[in-house]
Amino acid sequence: MAAELQSCRVAAVERWQWTAVVSCLLVSFSCTDPRARPAPPQVELSFSPTLVVKSPGSIVGSLYAFDPDGLNTINVQIRSSDSTFVVNDPVSANGLFEVTQSLAYIVPGAMPIGTQIRLVVKVTDFIGFAASDTAFFTVQDTVSARR
């Protein structure tokens, strides 16, 4: 009798364990959605690792932006720590899904060595999500006019 009772308990526990496993699997499969969730755009700035910012000089790089819902706006903003170098440059997106754009900006003369320059690209998609990438530069050389 005790052996029978013990085997009934073992069978009940095994049934409960299998029921729990099957329930967990069903719940996990029901939570997956075949469509992707909306997400902000991807944006990436790229510059040469050997870039040295001089005044006067230039900052040259590239911008990559992607969004499966379509890109609405792309805006490049540059500001130096002393506010002598300020740029607000909208880049055309025209509803494209992917944009690769060269960037080239002229650094004005007479900026002292050590001046910080911040370059920010902000991208929005048609759903309204936004993403940004930021690069920081330091003026490392000032080219002065020779007399």
Side-chain angles (χ1 to χ4, degrees):
M1 175 96 164
E4 240 178 71
L5 187 58
Q6 181 67 21
S7 83
C8 284
R9 285 184 193 156
V10 169
V13 168
E14 286 177 357
R15 267 194 312 262
W16 179 83
Q17 287 174 340
W18 279 108
T19 304
V21 168
V22 170
S23 297
C24 287
L25 287 173
L26 289 174
V27 167
S28 67
F29 285 129
S30 67
C31 291
T32 60
D33 189 356
R35 62 186 172 90
R37 301 281 184 212
Q42 296 175 10
V43 59
E44 182 179 319
L45 289 168
S46 300
F47 299 93
S48 169
T50 60
L51 176 66
V52 175
V53 177
K54 299 178 181 179
S55 173
S58 60
I59 297 174
V60 178
S62 66
L63 156 71
Y64 172 78
F66 170 78
D67 190 84
D69 299 313
L71 299 166
N72 187 21
T73 62
I74 301 173
N75 195 26
V76 179
Q77 295 178 341
I78 303 173
R79 179 174 296 275
S80 64
S81 57
D82 62 359
S83 297
T84 58
F85 182 28
V86 178
V87 174
N88 189 11
D89 185 20
V91 176
S92 177
N94 294 330
L96 298 173
F97 297 103
E98 184 175 42
V99 171
T100 301
Q101 178 78 34
S102 296
L103 301 175
Y105 297 98
I106 304 297
V107 178
M111 292 180 74
I113 293 174
T115 302
Q116 299 289 314
I117 298 171
R118 183 182 66 180
L119 189 148
V120 179
V121 174
K122 183 178 179 185
V123 179
T124 58
D125 65 10
F126 280 107
I127 292 179
F129 289 122
S132 64
D133 195 6
T134 304
F136 293 94
F137 304 98
T138 302
V139 175
Q140 297 176 358
D141 192 10
T142 300
V143 180
S144 56
R146 294 184 184 185
R147 292 183 182 180

